[in-house]
Amino acid sequence: MSQHRPGGPNGRAGGVPALPDLPEATVARLPEYLRALHNLAEAGNDTVSSEELAGAAGVNSAKLRKDLSHLGSYGTRGVGYDVALLIDQIEFTLGLTQRRGVALVGVGNLGHALAGYAGFASRGFRIAALFDADPARVGELINGLHVRHISDLADVAVAESIAIGVIATPAASAQDVADALVAAGVTSILNFAPCVLSVPDGVDVRKVDLAVELQILSFHEHRKSSLTALPGGLGGGPAGLVSAAEPEEAVGT
Amino acid sequence: MSQHRPGGPNGRAGGVPALPDLPEATVARLPEYLRALHNLAEAGNDTVSSEELAGAAGVNSAKLRKDLSHLGSYGTRGVGYDVALLIDQIEFTLGLTQRRGVALVGVGNLGHALAGYAGFASRGFRIAALFDADPARVGELINGLHVRHISDLADVAVAESIAIGVIATPAASAQDVADALVAAGVTSILNFAPCVLSVPDGVDVRKVDLAVELQILSFHEHRKSSLTALPGGLGGGPAGLVSAAEPEEAVGT
């Protein structure tokens, strides 16, 4: 089986890697498909229909088929997708066949949680180094790794082949850490600090802001409660608690 | 100043709350604008141009103007936006004027980090209750709150006016927890467990999967390295380390 060559029309022969520039939304869904496929494989399934796989990944099946067509995977009518082959194709596309090294900077509460997160190892990554700026933290042993001082970043990044930097520092330090990561040659950053980072072209940053996620949910809560607050608009769902959670607002008075 | 009534064309008079159904991408950017505006206000700025605000929030200014036009905010030519007014409008839209109660379920490493995260309180939320299924965890004091048993969820959700449930349990427990939250009347869930939740219509779920974020970055790393691996394609960026982090792949051979 071709583990490093996705088949289909995108799999070009010759010296050029067959890695299309996928839509960002497709890239974001591939990990969901991959997890669902691993679960199916563990349960002993050799093939899966697009409907089943879409259901397990929480998307509609037309979107799934379109996403997978970008990889050159179309399945077989009446049979579905070959589970093992599709796992290979997605892992190749996501570059997960090489177990990328991750450096984590900032070992406060969140950093500790991230350093101990078993899901990284099982899904293609190895936490290769931990850093902190606080000398009192340096040397601490977390999940088998000693915390290094941030000033060692450049040396360690090369020695450990760091591909991705994770920033779990306070916002005030995050830009300095990002600059240090970039100077050390790291071109992908996952930022948990609540701030916007400036990075040069060619460096990818993804941001996870926990309070932002809650604020987005808050918008939907607010919207739902404004609908149920309409005269006669209490139908649908457990409106009792929504009312309790949503004290009367001074709208329209 | 009208704190509860955004002005402009969307601000309808009468008994109907003026809460438009914004594009999801706009909703996701409003928290970024809000944080940038708070920073500007703290620095003593009364007004801000769309270019300045867009830069501080990390978006382009045309997108920002379009987003804010949904709220009925257009700014004043040559002056820009009124910082305090825009803060009020965004906080109203996001429903942040009422300090929503959050219940956190699962107090492992990640749950501990979330329970101790100062950013929630400063940005419109109060962690009102902590739950775990493990009797050994019940009673533990974390940031001033005693961990309750998950079986108390329904009672506590009403007593504490819980609006949002945060799931920080292992994947295997997450669906049961989601069912319990929904049964208790919670209609917004932030899920950190690596799995897809089934919830009834009217319940909003947002998902944060840390490994997925890394896998998305991995795709971009993979793509960048496949470009720099082309003959003569080493220009642009610190390619040295990228090569070190990316052992030769068996593509095109």
mmCIF file of all heavy atoms in Angstrom, chain A residues 14 31-32 35 92 94 100 123 184 187-188 204 206-207 209 213 215 218 221-222 224 241 246 252, chain B residues 14 31-32 35 92 94 100 123 184 187-188 204 206-207 209 213 215 218 221-222 224 241 246 252:
data_model
loop_
_atom_site.group_PDB
_atom_site.id
_atom_site.type_symbol
_atom_site.label_atom_id
_atom_site.label_comp_id
_atom_site.label_asym_id
_atom_site.label_seq_id
_atom_site.Cartn_x
_atom_site.Cartn_y
_atom_site.Cartn_z
ATOM 1 N N GLY A 14 6.641 11.853 -10.542
ATOM 2 C CA GLY A 14 7.758 12.759 -10.769
ATOM 3 C C GLY A 14 8.285 13.325 -9.469
ATOM 4 O O GLY A 14 7.976 12.849 -8.380
ATOM 5 N N PRO A 31 -8.571 16.292 10.524
ATOM 6 C CA PRO A 31 -8.302 15.612 11.799
ATOM 7 C C PRO A 31 -9.536 14.917 12.373
ATOM 8 O O PRO A 31 -9.418 13.861 13.008
ATOM 9 C CB PRO A 31 -7.841 16.748 12.722
ATOM 10 C CG PRO A 31 -7.269 17.775 11.794
ATOM 11 C CD PRO A 31 -8.151 17.710 10.570
ATOM 12 N N GLU A 32 -10.726 15.491 12.132
ATOM 13 C CA GLU A 32 -11.949 14.846 12.621
ATOM 14 C C GLU A 32 -12.209 13.541 11.882
ATOM 15 O O GLU A 32 -12.589 12.533 12.478
ATOM 16 C CB GLU A 32 -13.162 15.774 12.432
ATOM 17 C CG GLU A 32 -13.024 17.145 13.054
ATOM 18 C CD GLU A 32 -12.929 17.085 14.565
ATOM 19 O OE1 GLU A 32 -13.366 16.076 15.156
ATOM 20 O OE2 GLU A 32 -12.390 18.043 15.147
ATOM 21 N N ARG A 35 -9.737 10.916 13.191
ATOM 22 C CA ARG A 35 -10.077 10.304 14.479
ATOM 23 C C ARG A 35 -11.204 9.293 14.304
ATOM 24 O O ARG A 35 -11.159 8.180 14.851
ATOM 25 C CB ARG A 35 -10.487 11.362 15.494
ATOM 26 C CG ARG A 35 -10.912 10.720 16.799
ATOM 27 C CD ARG A 35 -11.130 11.724 17.886
ATOM 28 N NE ARG A 35 -11.823 12.871 17.355
ATOM 29 C CZ ARG A 35 -11.502 14.117 17.605
ATOM 30 N NH1 ARG A 35 -10.501 14.375 18.409
ATOM 31 N NH2 ARG A 35 -12.191 15.098 17.086
ATOM 32 N N PHE A 92 -0.765 11.203 5.555
ATOM 33 C CA PHE A 92 0.243 11.758 4.654
ATOM 34 C C PHE A 92 -0.010 13.247 4.431
ATOM 35 O O PHE A 92 0.893 14.083 4.541
ATOM 36 C CB PHE A 92 0.240 11.019 3.314
ATOM 37 C CG PHE A 92 1.052 11.745 2.269
ATOM 38 C CD1 PHE A 92 2.432 11.619 2.233
ATOM 39 C CD2 PHE A 92 0.431 12.587 1.352
ATOM 40 C CE1 PHE A 92 3.184 12.316 1.293
ATOM 41 C CE2 PHE A 92 1.185 13.283 0.412
ATOM 42 C CZ PHE A 92 2.560 13.152 0.386
ATOM 43 N N LEU A 94 -1.628 15.432 6.198
ATOM 44 C CA LEU A 94 -1.389 16.253 7.388
ATOM 45 C C LEU A 94 0.072 16.196 7.836
ATOM 46 O O LEU A 94 0.445 16.875 8.798
ATOM 47 C CB LEU A 94 -2.307 15.802 8.533
ATOM 48 C CG LEU A 94 -3.804 16.078 8.343
ATOM 49 C CD1 LEU A 94 -4.608 15.510 9.510
ATOM 50 C CD2 LEU A 94 -4.070 17.578 8.205
ATOM 51 N N ARG A 100 6.133 14.911 14.544
ATOM 52 C CA ARG A 100 6.782 16.207 14.701
ATOM 53 C C ARG A 100 7.095 16.542 16.156
ATOM 54 O O ARG A 100 6.304 16.265 17.043
ATOM 55 C CB ARG A 100 5.882 17.304 14.133
ATOM 56 C CG ARG A 100 5.870 17.296 12.642
ATOM 57 C CD ARG A 100 4.816 18.155 12.036
ATOM 58 N NE ARG A 100 4.560 17.692 10.694
ATOM 59 C CZ ARG A 100 5.323 18.007 9.647
ATOM 60 N NH1 ARG A 100 6.359 18.796 9.790
ATOM 61 N NH2 ARG A 100 5.057 17.517 8.472
ATOM 62 N N ARG A 123 -1.562 11.141 18.729
ATOM 63 C CA ARG A 123 -2.049 11.686 17.470
ATOM 64 C C ARG A 123 -0.958 12.349 16.654
ATOM 65 O O ARG A 123 -1.213 13.277 15.887
ATOM 66 C CB ARG A 123 -3.241 12.599 17.733
ATOM 67 C CG ARG A 123 -4.480 11.702 17.985
ATOM 68 C CD ARG A 123 -5.502 12.356 18.828
ATOM 69 N NE ARG A 123 -6.250 13.319 18.059
ATOM 70 C CZ ARG A 123 -7.062 14.210 18.599
ATOM 71 N NH1 ARG A 123 -7.204 14.268 19.896
ATOM 72 N NH2 ARG A 123 -7.703 15.040 17.847
ATOM 73 N N ALA A 184 14.638 30.916 16.111
ATOM 74 C CA ALA A 184 15.185 29.562 16.205
ATOM 75 C C ALA A 184 14.765 28.702 15.015
ATOM 76 O O ALA A 184 15.100 27.527 14.947
ATOM 77 C CB ALA A 184 14.741 28.895 17.510
ATOM 78 N N THR A 187 8.515 27.504 12.360
ATOM 79 C CA THR A 187 7.629 28.202 11.426
ATOM 80 C C THR A 187 6.141 27.886 11.652
ATOM 81 O O THR A 187 5.299 28.257 10.842
ATOM 82 C CB THR A 187 7.999 27.872 9.964
ATOM 83 O OG1 THR A 187 8.050 26.453 9.809
ATOM 84 C CG2 THR A 187 9.350 28.460 9.598
ATOM 85 N N SER A 188 5.826 27.200 12.747
ATOM 86 C CA SER A 188 4.422 26.973 13.109
ATOM 87 C C SER A 188 4.263 27.197 14.602
ATOM 88 O O SER A 188 5.020 26.632 15.401
ATOM 89 C CB SER A 188 3.978 25.551 12.763
ATOM 90 O OG SER A 188 3.839 25.396 11.365
ATOM 91 N N ASP A 204 3.197 30.181 10.276
ATOM 92 C CA ASP A 204 1.777 29.969 10.536
ATOM 93 C C ASP A 204 1.498 30.042 12.030
ATOM 94 O O ASP A 204 2.213 29.431 12.821
ATOM 95 C CB ASP A 204 1.343 28.594 10.009
ATOM 96 C CG ASP A 204 1.246 28.585 8.499
ATOM 97 O OD1 ASP A 204 0.309 29.210 7.982
ATOM 98 O OD2 ASP A 204 2.130 27.986 7.844
ATOM 99 N N ARG A 206 -1.666 29.584 14.808
ATOM 100 C CA ARG A 206 -3.049 29.306 15.175
ATOM 101 C C ARG A 206 -3.219 29.721 16.615
ATOM 102 O O ARG A 206 -2.291 29.639 17.404
ATOM 103 C CB ARG A 206 -3.408 27.829 14.990
ATOM 104 C CG ARG A 206 -3.536 27.472 13.521
ATOM 105 C CD ARG A 206 -4.109 26.114 13.309
ATOM 106 N NE ARG A 206 -5.475 25.977 13.749
ATOM 107 C CZ ARG A 206 -6.535 26.292 12.998
ATOM 108 N NH1 ARG A 206 -6.383 26.771 11.797
ATOM 109 N NH2 ARG A 206 -7.752 26.129 13.475
ATOM 110 N N LYS A 207 -4.429 30.171 16.921
ATOM 111 C CA LYS A 207 -4.649 30.757 18.226
ATOM 112 C C LYS A 207 -5.810 30.050 18.896
ATOM 113 O O LYS A 207 -6.834 29.803 18.256
ATOM 114 C CB LYS A 207 -4.991 32.229 18.022
ATOM 115 C CG LYS A 207 -5.120 32.996 19.273
ATOM 116 C CD LYS A 207 -5.033 34.468 18.970
ATOM 117 C CE LYS A 207 -5.498 35.240 20.160
ATOM 118 N NZ LYS A 207 -6.557 36.167 19.819
ATOM 119 N N ASP A 209 -8.056 30.724 22.163
ATOM 120 C CA ASP A 209 -8.331 31.628 23.276
ATOM 121 C C ASP A 209 -9.593 31.137 23.958
ATOM 122 O O ASP A 209 -10.686 31.190 23.396
ATOM 123 C CB ASP A 209 -8.502 33.053 22.772
ATOM 124 C CG ASP A 209 -8.632 34.034 23.937
ATOM 125 O OD1 ASP A 209 -9.342 33.717 24.911
ATOM 126 O OD2 ASP A 209 -8.020 35.112 23.856
ATOM 127 N N GLU A 213 -13.787 31.589 23.110
ATOM 128 C CA GLU A 213 -14.756 30.516 22.868
ATOM 129 C C GLU A 213 -16.008 30.722 23.718
ATOM 130 O O GLU A 213 -17.136 30.555 23.246
ATOM 131 C CB GLU A 213 -14.133 29.148 23.184
ATOM 132 C CG GLU A 213 -12.962 28.785 22.287
ATOM 133 C CD GLU A 213 -13.379 28.641 20.822
ATOM 134 O OE1 GLU A 213 -14.518 28.223 20.576
ATOM 135 O OE2 GLU A 213 -12.564 28.966 19.949
ATOM 136 N N GLN A 215 -17.054 33.578 24.881
ATOM 137 C CA GLN A 215 -17.760 34.779 24.417
ATOM 138 C C GLN A 215 -18.606 34.468 23.182
ATOM 139 O O GLN A 215 -19.694 35.025 23.018
ATOM 140 C CB GLN A 215 -16.758 35.904 24.145
ATOM 141 C CG GLN A 215 -16.146 36.439 25.444
ATOM 142 C CD GLN A 215 -15.164 37.569 25.222
ATOM 143 O OE1 GLN A 215 -14.597 37.718 24.153
ATOM 144 N NE2 GLN A 215 -14.943 38.362 26.262
ATOM 145 N N SER A 218 -21.556 32.821 24.424
ATOM 146 C CA SER A 218 -22.391 33.819 25.095
ATOM 147 C C SER A 218 -23.284 34.541 24.097
ATOM 148 O O SER A 218 -24.461 34.820 24.374
ATOM 149 C CB SER A 218 -21.498 34.823 25.828
ATOM 150 O OG SER A 218 -22.269 35.859 26.391
ATOM 151 N N GLU A 221 -26.136 32.241 23.454
ATOM 152 C CA GLU A 221 -27.041 32.247 24.610
ATOM 153 C C GLU A 221 -27.906 33.503 24.599
ATOM 154 O O GLU A 221 -29.112 33.456 24.815
ATOM 155 C CB GLU A 221 -26.225 32.239 25.922
ATOM 156 C CG GLU A 221 -25.824 30.874 26.407
ATOM 157 C CD GLU A 221 -27.026 29.998 26.672
ATOM 158 O OE1 GLU A 221 -27.839 30.328 27.549
ATOM 159 O OE2 GLU A 221 -27.156 28.963 25.987
ATOM 160 N N HIS A 222 -27.237 34.625 24.365
ATOM 161 C CA HIS A 222 -27.926 35.902 24.370
ATOM 162 C C HIS A 222 -29.017 35.903 23.302
ATOM 163 O O HIS A 222 -30.145 36.323 23.537
ATOM 164 C CB HIS A 222 -26.901 37.015 24.106
ATOM 165 C CG HIS A 222 -27.433 38.401 24.291
ATOM 166 N ND1 HIS A 222 -26.798 39.505 23.806
ATOM 167 C CD2 HIS A 222 -28.546 38.862 24.906
ATOM 168 C CE1 HIS A 222 -27.504 40.582 24.119
ATOM 169 N NE2 HIS A 222 -28.561 40.220 24.779
ATOM 170 N N LYS A 224 -30.455 33.271 21.836
ATOM 171 C CA LYS A 224 -31.547 32.342 22.154
ATOM 172 C C LYS A 224 -32.478 32.956 23.187
ATOM 173 O O LYS A 224 -33.699 32.833 23.076
ATOM 174 C CB LYS A 224 -30.978 31.017 22.677
ATOM 175 C CG LYS A 224 -30.452 30.112 21.569
ATOM 176 C CD LYS A 224 -29.922 28.784 22.107
ATOM 177 C CE LYS A 224 -28.568 28.948 22.758
ATOM 178 N NZ LYS A 224 -27.825 27.664 22.887
ATOM 179 N N LEU A 241 -34.713 27.087 32.519
ATOM 180 C CA LEU A 241 -33.417 27.483 33.045
ATOM 181 C C LEU A 241 -32.857 28.661 32.274
ATOM 182 O O LEU A 241 -32.188 29.514 32.846
ATOM 183 C CB LEU A 241 -32.426 26.325 32.974
ATOM 184 C CG LEU A 241 -31.110 26.704 33.652
ATOM 185 C CD1 LEU A 241 -31.305 26.744 35.154
ATOM 186 C CD2 LEU A 241 -30.009 25.761 33.273
ATOM 187 N N GLU A 246 -30.987 34.102 32.609
ATOM 188 C CA GLU A 246 -30.986 35.325 31.824
ATOM 189 C C GLU A 246 -31.908 36.353 32.437
ATOM 190 O O GLU A 246 -33.067 36.480 32.036
ATOM 191 C CB GLU A 246 -31.484 35.011 30.405
ATOM 192 C CG GLU A 246 -30.704 33.965 29.682
ATOM 193 C CD GLU A 246 -29.531 34.585 28.959
ATOM 194 O OE1 GLU A 246 -29.527 35.826 28.823
ATOM 195 O OE2 GLU A 246 -28.639 33.865 28.554
ATOM 196 N N GLY A 252 -35.830 47.426 24.739
ATOM 197 C CA GLY A 252 -37.140 47.840 24.268
ATOM 198 C C GLY A 252 -37.983 48.523 25.328
ATOM 199 O O GLY A 252 -39.196 48.591 25.192
ATOM 200 N N GLY B 14 -39.306 49.236 20.109
ATOM 201 C CA GLY B 14 -40.406 48.322 20.382
ATOM 202 C C GLY B 14 -39.960 47.170 21.252
ATOM 203 O O GLY B 14 -38.891 47.191 21.854
ATOM 204 N N PRO B 31 -14.888 39.169 19.760
ATOM 205 C CA PRO B 31 -14.067 39.142 20.984
ATOM 206 C C PRO B 31 -12.673 39.738 20.775
ATOM 207 O O PRO B 31 -12.115 40.335 21.693
ATOM 208 C CB PRO B 31 -13.990 37.641 21.322
ATOM 209 C CG PRO B 31 -15.224 37.057 20.722
ATOM 210 C CD PRO B 31 -15.433 37.825 19.447
ATOM 211 N N GLU B 32 -12.124 39.561 19.563
ATOM 212 C CA GLU B 32 -10.800 40.135 19.285
ATOM 213 C C GLU B 32 -10.878 41.661 19.277
ATOM 214 O O GLU B 32 -10.004 42.347 19.801
ATOM 215 C CB GLU B 32 -10.269 39.647 17.931
ATOM 216 C CG GLU B 32 -10.198 38.142 17.781
ATOM 217 C CD GLU B 32 -9.199 37.505 18.733
ATOM 218 O OE1 GLU B 32 -8.278 38.198 19.205
ATOM 219 O OE2 GLU B 32 -9.363 36.308 19.023
ATOM 220 N N ARG B 35 -11.191 42.902 22.881
ATOM 221 C CA ARG B 35 -9.944 42.928 23.662
ATOM 222 C C ARG B 35 -9.074 44.109 23.230
ATOM 223 O O ARG B 35 -8.514 44.821 24.060
ATOM 224 C CB ARG B 35 -9.169 41.623 23.490
ATOM 225 C CG ARG B 35 -7.857 41.677 24.238
ATOM 226 C CD ARG B 35 -7.124 40.356 24.253
ATOM 227 N NE ARG B 35 -7.234 39.715 22.973
ATOM 228 C CZ ARG B 35 -7.558 38.459 22.796
ATOM 229 N NH1 ARG B 35 -7.789 37.711 23.840
ATOM 230 N NH2 ARG B 35 -7.647 37.963 21.602
ATOM 231 N N PHE B 92 -22.764 44.280 24.550
ATOM 232 C CA PHE B 92 -24.203 44.001 24.480
ATOM 233 C C PHE B 92 -24.472 42.850 23.514
ATOM 234 O O PHE B 92 -25.184 41.903 23.820
ATOM 235 C CB PHE B 92 -24.996 45.238 24.038
ATOM 236 C CG PHE B 92 -26.411 44.901 23.668
ATOM 237 C CD1 PHE B 92 -27.376 44.742 24.645
ATOM 238 C CD2 PHE B 92 -26.771 44.700 22.341
ATOM 239 C CE1 PHE B 92 -28.676 44.401 24.316
ATOM 240 C CE2 PHE B 92 -28.070 44.356 22.007
ATOM 241 C CZ PHE B 92 -29.031 44.207 22.995
ATOM 242 N N LEU B 94 -22.550 40.478 22.437
ATOM 243 C CA LEU B 94 -22.058 39.186 22.919
ATOM 244 C C LEU B 94 -22.765 38.748 24.207
ATOM 245 O O LEU B 94 -22.502 37.658 24.711
ATOM 246 C CB LEU B 94 -20.545 39.245 23.148
ATOM 247 C CG LEU B 94 -19.674 39.387 21.888
ATOM 248 C CD1 LEU B 94 -18.208 39.514 22.263
ATOM 249 C CD2 LEU B 94 -19.877 38.199 20.955
ATOM 250 N N ARG B 100 -22.159 35.709 32.824
ATOM 251 C CA ARG B 100 -22.756 34.380 32.776
ATOM 252 C C ARG B 100 -22.033 33.375 33.672
ATOM 253 O O ARG B 100 -20.815 33.390 33.768
ATOM 254 C CB ARG B 100 -22.732 33.854 31.338
ATOM 255 C CG ARG B 100 -23.751 34.528 30.478
ATOM 256 C CD ARG B 100 -23.624 34.211 29.022
ATOM 257 N NE ARG B 100 -24.264 35.273 28.262
ATOM 258 C CZ ARG B 100 -25.577 35.349 28.068
ATOM 259 N NH1 ARG B 100 -26.365 34.410 28.517
ATOM 260 N NH2 ARG B 100 -26.093 36.360 27.408
ATOM 261 N N ARG B 123 -13.151 38.648 31.599
ATOM 262 C CA ARG B 123 -13.783 38.831 30.302
ATOM 263 C C ARG B 123 -15.242 38.398 30.273
ATOM 264 O O ARG B 123 -15.763 37.977 29.257
ATOM 265 C CB ARG B 123 -12.944 38.149 29.226
ATOM 266 C CG ARG B 123 -11.727 39.047 28.918
ATOM 267 C CD ARG B 123 -10.571 38.295 28.390
ATOM 268 N NE ARG B 123 -10.769 37.956 27.000
ATOM 269 C CZ ARG B 123 -10.014 37.083 26.352
ATOM 270 N NH1 ARG B 123 -9.033 36.457 26.986
ATOM 271 N NH2 ARG B 123 -10.231 36.834 25.101
ATOM 272 N N ALA B 184 -30.127 19.358 32.417
ATOM 273 C CA ALA B 184 -30.189 20.400 33.456
ATOM 274 C C ALA B 184 -30.545 21.755 32.862
ATOM 275 O O ALA B 184 -30.587 22.759 33.584
ATOM 276 C CB ALA B 184 -28.849 20.482 34.201
ATOM 277 N N THR B 187 -27.746 25.203 27.586
ATOM 278 C CA THR B 187 -27.912 25.193 26.127
ATOM 279 C C THR B 187 -26.659 25.651 25.381
ATOM 280 O O THR B 187 -26.699 25.860 24.171
ATOM 281 C CB THR B 187 -29.115 26.057 25.707
ATOM 282 O OG1 THR B 187 -28.962 27.358 26.273
ATOM 283 C CG2 THR B 187 -30.417 25.451 26.177
ATOM 284 N N SER B 188 -25.544 25.815 26.085
ATOM 285 C CA SER B 188 -24.278 26.131 25.424
ATOM 286 C C SER B 188 -23.176 25.309 26.077
ATOM 287 O O SER B 188 -23.054 25.294 27.303
ATOM 288 C CB SER B 188 -23.930 27.618 25.562
ATOM 289 O OG SER B 188 -24.762 28.397 24.739
ATOM 290 N N ASP B 204 -25.994 24.831 21.538
ATOM 291 C CA ASP B 204 -24.787 25.178 20.798
ATOM 292 C C ASP B 204 -23.585 24.508 21.435
ATOM 293 O O ASP B 204 -23.402 24.548 22.650
ATOM 294 C CB ASP B 204 -24.573 26.699 20.815
ATOM 295 C CG ASP B 204 -25.555 27.407 19.893
ATOM 296 O OD1 ASP B 204 -25.375 27.279 18.673
ATOM 297 O OD2 ASP B 204 -26.502 28.044 20.391
ATOM 298 N N ARG B 206 -19.365 24.288 21.057
ATOM 299 C CA ARG B 206 -18.092 24.637 20.445
ATOM 300 C C ARG B 206 -17.059 23.666 20.963
ATOM 301 O O ARG B 206 -17.135 23.198 22.080
ATOM 302 C CB ARG B 206 -17.681 26.081 20.758
ATOM 303 C CG ARG B 206 -18.531 27.066 19.980
ATOM 304 C CD ARG B 206 -18.009 28.456 20.073
ATOM 305 N NE ARG B 206 -16.741 28.656 19.431
ATOM 306 C CZ ARG B 206 -16.572 28.919 18.131
ATOM 307 N NH1 ARG B 206 -17.608 28.991 17.332
ATOM 308 N NH2 ARG B 206 -15.370 29.097 17.641
ATOM 309 N N LYS B 207 -16.088 23.376 20.114
ATOM 310 C CA LYS B 207 -15.153 22.324 20.438
ATOM 311 C C LYS B 207 -13.738 22.870 20.340
ATOM 312 O O LYS B 207 -13.401 23.562 19.386
ATOM 313 C CB LYS B 207 -15.345 21.210 19.416
ATOM 314 C CG LYS B 207 -14.541 20.011 19.692
ATOM 315 C CD LYS B 207 -15.110 18.838 18.936
ATOM 316 C CE LYS B 207 -14.118 17.724 18.951
ATOM 317 N NZ LYS B 207 -13.766 17.310 17.612
ATOM 318 N N ASP B 209 -10.055 21.263 20.366
ATOM 319 C CA ASP B 209 -9.280 20.032 20.411
ATOM 320 C C ASP B 209 -7.825 20.402 20.152
ATOM 321 O O ASP B 209 -7.452 20.819 19.066
ATOM 322 C CB ASP B 209 -9.788 19.046 19.368
ATOM 323 C CG ASP B 209 -9.087 17.694 19.491
ATOM 324 O OD1 ASP B 209 -7.854 17.673 19.713
ATOM 325 O OD2 ASP B 209 -9.776 16.679 19.382
ATOM 326 N N GLU B 213 -5.563 21.202 16.582
ATOM 327 C CA GLU B 213 -4.844 22.440 16.255
ATOM 328 C C GLU B 213 -3.421 22.119 15.791
ATOM 329 O O GLU B 213 -2.925 22.691 14.823
ATOM 330 C CB GLU B 213 -4.804 23.374 17.469
ATOM 331 C CG GLU B 213 -6.170 23.871 17.923
ATOM 332 C CD GLU B 213 -6.853 24.717 16.859
ATOM 333 O OE1 GLU B 213 -6.169 25.412 16.109
ATOM 334 O OE2 GLU B 213 -8.098 24.660 16.778
ATOM 335 N N GLN B 215 -2.459 19.323 14.458
ATOM 336 C CA GLN B 215 -2.515 18.618 13.168
ATOM 337 C C GLN B 215 -2.715 19.595 12.017
ATOM 338 O O GLN B 215 -2.180 19.395 10.925
ATOM 339 C CB GLN B 215 -3.628 17.555 13.201
ATOM 340 C CG GLN B 215 -3.268 16.383 14.129
ATOM 341 C CD GLN B 215 -4.331 15.311 14.182
ATOM 342 O OE1 GLN B 215 -5.489 15.552 13.882
ATOM 343 N NE2 GLN B 215 -3.946 14.114 14.581
ATOM 344 N N SER B 218 0.519 21.061 11.432
ATOM 345 C CA SER B 218 1.361 20.048 10.802
ATOM 346 C C SER B 218 1.162 20.047 9.289
ATOM 347 O O SER B 218 2.127 19.912 8.514
ATOM 348 C CB SER B 218 1.049 18.663 11.384
ATOM 349 O OG SER B 218 1.765 17.654 10.714
ATOM 350 N N GLU B 221 3.156 22.890 7.974
ATOM 351 C CA GLU B 221 4.579 22.540 8.013
ATOM 352 C C GLU B 221 4.930 21.614 6.853
ATOM 353 O O GLU B 221 5.935 21.788 6.170
ATOM 354 C CB GLU B 221 4.902 21.809 9.334
ATOM 355 C CG GLU B 221 5.214 22.700 10.487
ATOM 356 C CD GLU B 221 6.434 23.561 10.208
ATOM 357 O OE1 GLU B 221 7.528 23.017 10.015
ATOM 358 O OE2 GLU B 221 6.269 24.789 10.171
ATOM 359 N N HIS B 222 4.082 20.609 6.682
ATOM 360 C CA HIS B 222 4.308 19.618 5.637
ATOM 361 C C HIS B 222 4.340 20.300 4.280
ATOM 362 O O HIS B 222 5.213 20.061 3.444
ATOM 363 C CB HIS B 222 3.193 18.564 5.695
ATOM 364 C CG HIS B 222 3.423 17.372 4.822
ATOM 365 N ND1 HIS B 222 2.435 16.496 4.503
ATOM 366 C CD2 HIS B 222 4.533 16.927 4.207
ATOM 367 C CE1 HIS B 222 2.924 15.559 3.719
ATOM 368 N NE2 HIS B 222 4.187 15.790 3.523
ATOM 369 N N LYS B 224 4.860 23.539 3.605
ATOM 370 C CA LYS B 224 6.016 24.419 3.461
ATOM 371 C C LYS B 224 7.266 23.608 3.136
ATOM 372 O O LYS B 224 8.069 23.989 2.289
ATOM 373 C CB LYS B 224 6.244 25.236 4.745
ATOM 374 C CG LYS B 224 5.294 26.425 4.871
ATOM 375 C CD LYS B 224 5.545 27.248 6.132
ATOM 376 C CE LYS B 224 5.041 26.551 7.369
ATOM 377 N NZ LYS B 224 4.840 27.475 8.518
ATOM 378 N N LEU B 241 16.434 25.012 9.579
ATOM 379 C CA LEU B 241 15.830 24.175 10.596
ATOM 380 C C LEU B 241 14.682 23.363 10.027
ATOM 381 O O LEU B 241 14.447 22.233 10.439
ATOM 382 C CB LEU B 241 15.323 25.009 11.766
ATOM 383 C CG LEU B 241 14.812 24.109 12.889
ATOM 384 C CD1 LEU B 241 15.985 23.423 13.566
ATOM 385 C CD2 LEU B 241 14.005 24.884 13.893
ATOM 386 N N GLU B 246 12.491 18.045 9.027
ATOM 387 C CA GLU B 246 11.716 17.340 8.027
ATOM 388 C C GLU B 246 12.578 16.336 7.279
ATOM 389 O O GLU B 246 13.081 16.656 6.215
ATOM 390 C CB GLU B 246 11.147 18.348 7.016
ATOM 391 C CG GLU B 246 10.301 19.423 7.641
ATOM 392 C CD GLU B 246 8.866 18.973 7.728
ATOM 393 O OE1 GLU B 246 8.541 17.973 7.084
ATOM 394 O OE2 GLU B 246 8.098 19.594 8.436
ATOM 395 N N GLY B 252 7.841 10.914 -4.791
ATOM 396 C CA GLY B 252 8.347 11.014 -6.156
ATOM 397 C C GLY B 252 9.521 10.090 -6.427
ATOM 398 O O GLY B 252 10.261 10.312 -7.361
#
